[in-house]
């Protein structure tokens, strides 16, 4: 049984956020691309919160856009609310967050995929890979269709042996009662991949008409033109608000009374859940001293009454969920439309991947998204984009694209996964990035557009606009460094009015701007510009001058780390032949097979002493080669 269904350059399995980016990137780079998904109606589905962005994640969306990806453009077309978070704090922690229209987001992404040249969309469930001599050559679907490809990207999300859990009930399912993928999971184990079980969850959805909003606080979006994509020019004016309420002592009492029925505590759930996105029962147990927890009521779209109850993620029995809802101010009469649930699924241990996201075990097979143990749409989209780019670069004989930790949050994400692995659903946080002052929301284009252009995903027109912006910023910084502001009457009056110390002598305009209380806009009254400048370019001038000292320090750190990144480790090094490396370090090095000294130094269990021995060994040139076939 079975038939040959066609030949492609790249085959993408799955059409969630990772699959969409992988498929679009591959097709836009000229590869004949096939995308297979279990259900065409759930392309780019947002099974949990229909929100995109937030701390670190919002920066990732900007980075994907700067490299030529789609998620930012798609959310800009379909959001119902947009806010800039942490505006009162420094630029390193500012981030955009949007509430997307769930259905519109999906439809818009599906339309983009359907109209993309070189891309074929097919509904089908992949159950097996075609592997010959350790190389992936294609896939086989449930209906027996055999598709051949030069590279395969698996983006199966939470579908691998997915099981939904609500109270004492457990059944085989993908997210939101979709079909799970059972056979592919078993096939990956047969191929020798190490899989683990992870768990994630989602809150209940309730009917907006049954909420008493007078007992909640309104959370409106931001006015003004803001967007994720650097190419967005049409900004939405009409937004929907979200609403804030809180749990009560009664809510906590209901949860504590029913803990024996909570799958997390009864032993029903075996998978590891996300520490940074705990269920309400977990929060109540872990933070028993807190009298209440925030609950955000977030609309799922313009044309639906479904409201997402953010902060009330749970897998409690359904009748307990009804009781919990009724104990929250404003939700006393709330009508439950969909119960919250937990979902367990299989994950490929990510240390089995190279930094390109190609698997070490099988050549030309890539994995991206939640299959690699991450949580979140943004982390998935970033991996999909990188896997799509690298799959095409591999089959066309080009050097892979590997972003450094100092280049992008995407670099941090992938390096963390393949070097350290993860024992819980991995979530990007600003604290994971050692160079976060360099990896800001505002400068993603300055960091990555050049790379996106070199790869082939940024158009010539966009690239020229980017170069003009860069030139304008550099010219203005140079101008401000060359102008001396004298202690005139107007200047001294202005400085007194803003509580800044008066000038004793002339000062460079750039040095005056370094004072925290002086803004670039204010400075312009003394040093007016001849040319027009976009608000984005003006923001860069201010940030780059104000934070110059800190940025300089970070760049020096990067420079030091680069020396270690440039010290390459041969792929076929024999760690058993190196005397003096600790046993644990030896095991970890053999498993991860780091490509540089810097990557080796980030592996947990590899100590500075082990790195010193490795460095000496490499510098003596005594590279013990593994004899072929001995791996």
């Amino acid at each position: 049984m079975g038939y040959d269904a066609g030949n492609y350059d790249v085959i993408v399995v799955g059409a969630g956020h990772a699959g969409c980016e992988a498929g679009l990137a591959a097709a836009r780079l000229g590869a004949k691309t096939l995308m297979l998904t279990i259900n065409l109606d759930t392309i780019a589905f947002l099974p949990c919160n229909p929100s995109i962005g937030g701390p670190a994640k919002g920066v990732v969306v900007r980075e994907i856009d700067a490299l030529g990806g789609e998620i930012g453009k798609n959310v800009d077309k379909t959001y119902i609310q947009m806010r800039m978070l942490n505006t009162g704090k420094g630029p390193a922690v500012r981030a955009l967050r949007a509430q997307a229209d769930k259905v519109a987001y999906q439809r818009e992404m599906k339309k983009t995929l359907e109209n993309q040249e070189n891309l074929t969309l097919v509904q089908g469930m992949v159950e097996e890979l075609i592997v010959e001599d350790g190389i992936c050559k294609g896939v086989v679907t449930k209906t027996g269709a055999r598709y051949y490809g030069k590279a395969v990207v698996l983006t199966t999300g939470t579908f691998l042996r997915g099981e939904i859990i609500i109270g004492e009930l457990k059944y085989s399912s993908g997210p939101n009662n979709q079909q799970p993928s059972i056979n592919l999971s078993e096939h990956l184990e047969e191929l020798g991949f190490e899989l683990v079980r992870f768990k994630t969850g989602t809150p209940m959805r309730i009917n907006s008409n049954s909420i008493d909003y007078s007992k909640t606080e309104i959370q409106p979006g931001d006015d003004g033109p803001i967007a994720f994509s650097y190419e967005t020019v049409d900004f939405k004016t009409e937004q929907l608000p979200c609403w804030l309420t809180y749990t009560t002592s009664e809510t906590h009492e209901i949860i504590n009374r029913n803990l024996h029925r909570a799958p997390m505590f009864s032993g029903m759930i075996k998978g590891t859940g996300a520490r940074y996105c705990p269920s309400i029962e977990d929060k109540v147990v872990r933070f028993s001293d807190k009298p209440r927890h925030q609950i955000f009521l977030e609309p799922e779209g313009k044309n639906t009454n479904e409201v997402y109850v953010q902060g009330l993620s749970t897998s409690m029995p359904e009748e307990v969920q009804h009781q919990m809802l009724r104990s929250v101010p404003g939700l006393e009469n709330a009508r439950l439309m969909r119960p919250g649930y937990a979902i367990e699924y299989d994950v490929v241990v990510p240390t089995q991947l190279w930094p390109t996201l190609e698997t070490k075990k099988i050549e030309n097979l890539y994995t991206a998204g939640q299959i690699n143990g991450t949580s979140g749409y943004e982390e998935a989209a970033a991996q999909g984009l990188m896997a799509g780019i690298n799959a095409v670069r591999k089959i066309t004989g080009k050097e892979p694209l590997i972003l450094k930790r100092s280049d992008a949050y995407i670099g941090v994400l992938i390096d963390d996964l393949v070097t350290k692995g993860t024992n819980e659903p991995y979530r990007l946080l600003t604290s994971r990035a050692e160079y976060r002052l360099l990896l800001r929301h505002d400068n993603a284009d300055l960091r990555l557009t050049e790379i996106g252009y070199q790869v082939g995903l940024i158009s010539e027109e966009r690239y020229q606009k980017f170069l003009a912006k860069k030139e304008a910023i550099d010219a203005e910084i140079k101008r401000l460094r060359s102008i001396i502001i004298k202690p005139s009457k107007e200047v001294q009056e202005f400085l007194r009015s803003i509580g800044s110390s008066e000038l004793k002598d002339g000062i460079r305009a750039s040095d005056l701007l370094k004072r925290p209380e002086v803004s670039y806009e204010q400075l312009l009254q003394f040093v007016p510009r001849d040319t027009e400048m976009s608000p984005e370019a003006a923001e860069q001038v201010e940030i780059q001058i104000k934070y110059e000292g800190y940025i300089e320090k970070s760049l020096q750190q990067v420079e030091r780390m680069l020396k270690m990144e440039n010290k390459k480790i041969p792929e076929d090094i024999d760690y058993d032949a190196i005397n003096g490396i600790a046993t644990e370090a030896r095991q970890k090095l053999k498993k991860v097979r780091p490509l540089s000294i810097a990557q080796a130094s980030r592996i947990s269990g590899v100590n500075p002493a082990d790195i010193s021995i490795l460095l000496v060994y490499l510098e003596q040139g005594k590279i013990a080669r593994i004899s072929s076939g001995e791996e």
Side-chain angles (χ1 to χ4, degrees):
M1 192 188 138
Y3 69 102
D4 288 354
N7 289 286
Y8 295 86
D9 295 320
V10 176
I11 298 171
V12 178
V13 179
H17 307 281
C20 289
E21 295 294 349
L24 287 169
R28 286 167 179 171
L29 291 174
K32 187 183 173 194
T33 306
L34 170 70
M35 274 181 81
L36 287 157
T37 176
I38 293 173
N39 185 351
L40 283 176
D41 296 330
T42 52
I43 282 173
F45 185 58
L46 300 154
C48 203
N49 191 350
S51 86
I52 306 280
K57 292 165 174 276
V59 184
V60 169
V61 177
R62 299 273 280 184
E63 291 177 348
I64 293 167
D65 185 73
L67 288 166
E70 196 64 31
I71 186 172
K73 290 188 185 72
N74 205 62
V75 77
D76 285 350
K77 292 184 223 168
T78 58
Y79 72 83
I80 50 177
Q81 190 191 87
M82 183 91 81
R83 290 174 76 184
M84 180 68 85
L85 308 180
N86 301 328
T87 46
K89 296 180 182 171
V93 291
R94 282 177 213 153
L96 262 188
R97 181 180 186 270
Q99 201 65 22
D101 185 308
K102 196 168 192 159
V103 175
Y105 184 92
Q106 280 181 265
R107 282 192 186 143
E108 192 57 43
M109 188 64 93
K110 182 167 185 259
K111 191 165 85 181
T112 303
L113 293 166
E114 286 171 342
N115 292 323
Q116 177 61 49
E117 206 183 331
N118 298 327
L119 188 62
T120 304
L121 266 182
V122 174
Q123 183 164 292
M125 187 186 288
V126 170
E127 304 218 308
E128 253 178 68
L129 303 174
I130 301 167
V131 179
E132 292 168 18
D133 303 323
I135 300 169
C136 192
K137 300 279 182 77
V139 300
V140 185
T141 68
K142 198 171 190 166
T143 56
R146 297 169 72 83
Y147 294 97
Y148 293 92
K150 294 172 189 166
V152 172
V153 185
L154 291 183
T155 67
T156 52
T158 59
F159 282 78
L160 291 183
R161 276 198 290 229
E163 287 184 306
I164 280 183
I165 303 157
I166 304 170
E168 294 91 352
L169 173 70
K170 188 176 196 173
Y171 57 93
S172 182
S173 176
N176 204 33
N177 289 340
Q178 296 174 68
Q179 278 189 76
S181 172
I182 312 288
N183 294 347
L184 182 58
S185 215
E186 290 165 0
H187 180 62
L188 288 172
E189 282 182 326
E190 283 162 18
L191 290 170
F193 284 100
E194 185 190 346
L195 305 182
V196 288
R197 293 290 275 175
F198 275 2
K199 172 227 112 154
T200 182
T202 185
M204 56 284 278
R205 312 309 197 259
I206 57 178
N207 191 313
S208 177
N209 293 341
S210 64
I211 299 170
D212 181 353
Y213 287 108
S214 68
K215 295 182 180 174
T216 66
E217 299 165 37
I218 192 165
Q219 306 278 301
D222 288 350
D223 293 330
I226 48 175
F228 276 111
S229 175
Y230 289 93
E231 292 192 277
T232 296
V233 286
D234 293 331
F235 301 99
K236 288 179 175 294
T237 47
E238 193 193 335
Q239 297 196 39
L240 296 181
C242 296
W243 307 82
L244 171 66
T245 181
Y246 296 88
T247 59
T248 59
S249 55
E250 192 194 339
T251 320
H252 299 191
E253 210 175 289
I254 292 163
I255 290 165
N256 283 320
R257 206 168 53 231
N258 288 283
L259 273 183
H260 63 287
R261 301 182 67 195
M264 274 198 63
F265 297 95
S266 68
M268 174 88 92
I269 288 178
K270 301 284 188 281
T272 313
R275 204 170 5 143
Y276 304 103
C277 189
S279 64
I280 188 66
E281 47 269 36
D282 197 18
K283 280 195 276 197
V284 166
V285 170
R286 270 169 45 195
F287 308 107
S288 52
D289 54 323
K290 280 205 166 185
R292 62 182 195 169
H293 295 281
Q294 285 185 326
I295 303 288
F296 289 98
L297 304 173
E298 301 176 331
E300 295 234 312
K302 276 186 177 162
N303 302 310
T304 177
N305 282 342
E306 281 193 67
V307 170
Y308 181 92
V309 189
Q310 166 83 321
L312 219 54
S313 183
T314 184
S315 55
M316 280 284 200
E318 206 171 306
E319 67 270 27
V320 179
Q321 294 190 31
H322 281 285
Q323 291 171 37
M324 280 156 60
L325 275 177
R326 286 195 283 270
S327 68
V328 174
L331 307 185
E332 295 86 352
N333 300 304
R335 292 200 300 277
L336 185 69
M337 291 178 77
R338 302 180 200 233
Y341 63 82
I343 183 166
E344 277 191 343
Y345 53 97
D346 285 346
V347 162
V348 169
V349 173
T351 49
Q352 299 170 101
L353 308 173
W354 296 114
T356 57
L357 298 180
E358 184 182 18
T359 68
K360 294 171 184 172
K361 205 166 278 296
I362 293 173
E363 206 180 325
N364 297 352
L365 174 65
Y366 294 75
T367 60
Q370 279 186 277
I371 186 176
N372 290 343
T374 53
S375 67
Y377 314 133
E378 306 85 353
E379 290 92 337
Q383 293 170 70
L385 176 70
M386 296 305 287
I389 291 170
N390 280 321
V392 175
R393 290 181 81 79
K394 172 92 191 270
I395 62 178
T396 51
K398 294 190 175 114
E399 279 291 300
L401 175 62
I402 297 170
L403 296 175
K404 295 187 291 297
R405 295 179 76 88
S406 51
D407 290 332
Y409 271 103
I410 299 174
V412 174
L413 162 72
I414 293 174
D415 183 63
D416 276 355
L417 288 174
V418 304
T419 306
K420 300 172 183 172
T422 182
N423 52 13
E424 64 178 339
Y426 177 100
R427 180 181 187 167
L428 256 180
L429 308 161
T430 50
S431 58
R432 295 194 194 269
E434 53 275 59
Y435 310 114
R436 61 181 171 276
L437 190 56
L438 301 178
L439 310 182
R440 304 186 308 274
H441 158 92
D442 61 80
N443 71 352
D445 61 334
L446 297 174
R447 289 184 278 121
L448 299 169
T449 306
E450 181 73 47
I451 296 172
Y453 177 68
Q454 298 298 343
V455 164
L457 288 175
I458 294 291
S459 69
E460 188 61 44
E461 186 194 353
R462 178 170 171 182
Y463 183 58
Q464 289 307 325
K465 271 189 193 160
F466 159 73
L467 289 180
K469 174 184 171 180
K470 207 169 162 221
E471 219 168 282
I473 294 163
D474 294 343
E476 180 62 353
I477 290 174
K478 197 172 168 188
R479 182 180 84 90
L480 295 179
R481 282 185 180 146
S482 68
I483 297 175
I484 300 292
I485 292 183
K486 297 201 165 69
S488 68
K489 191 175 155 212
E490 293 81 20
V491 169
Q492 304 292 44
E493 264 176 26
F494 161 70
L495 291 172
R496 280 198 302 274
S497 75
I498 60 167
S500 192
S501 55
E502 293 182 24
L503 298 183
K504 293 190 173 61
D505 216 335
I507 184 174
R508 286 193 305 183
S510 56
D511 288 338
L512 188 58
L513 183 53
K514 282 183 181 172
R515 294 187 179 187
E517 58 277 14
V518 178
S519 75
Y520 176 57
E521 271 308 304
Q522 290 169 326
L523 185 72
L524 286 178
Q525 62 186 302
F526 306 109
V527 288
R529 271 192 324 247
D530 306 336
T531 51
E532 272 296 297
M533 187 178 256
S534 71
E536 294 78 30
E539 180 188 36
Q540 278 312 304
V541 170
E542 179 154 11
I543 289 171
Q544 287 184 30
I545 289 177
K546 272 199 189 303
Y547 294 91
E548 190 180 23
Y550 298 107
I551 290 170
E552 199 49 52
K553 267 187 196 153
S554 292
L555 289 170
Q556 284 166 6
Q557 276 181 299
V558 170
E559 205 51 50
R560 282 197 295 274
M561 185 51 79
L562 270 183
K563 288 181 182 145
M564 288 171 73
E565 296 285 1
N566 292 335
K567 284 201 166 76
K568 299 292 180 218
I569 300 173
E571 266 184 45
D572 54 1
I573 188 169
D574 182 0
Y575 290 106
D576 289 327
I578 309 175
N579 294 327
I581 289 183
T583 308
E584 186 194 357
R586 198 186 303 278
Q587 286 168 352
K588 292 280 181 73
L589 287 164
K590 281 159 78 171
K591 186 179 179 183
V592 174
R593 287 151 71 191
L595 300 177
S596 69
I597 286 291
Q599 193 190 353
S601 71
R602 293 190 290 268
I603 300 171
S604 53
V606 177
N607 297 316
D610 303 310
I611 294 295
S612 302
I613 292 164
L614 187 55
L615 272 170
V616 170
Y617 185 78
L618 289 175
E619 269 150 29
Q620 286 172 347
K622 291 182 184 169
I623 310 295
R625 305 284 170 185
I626 296 174
S627 59
S628 60
E630 219 182 82
E631 191 73 3

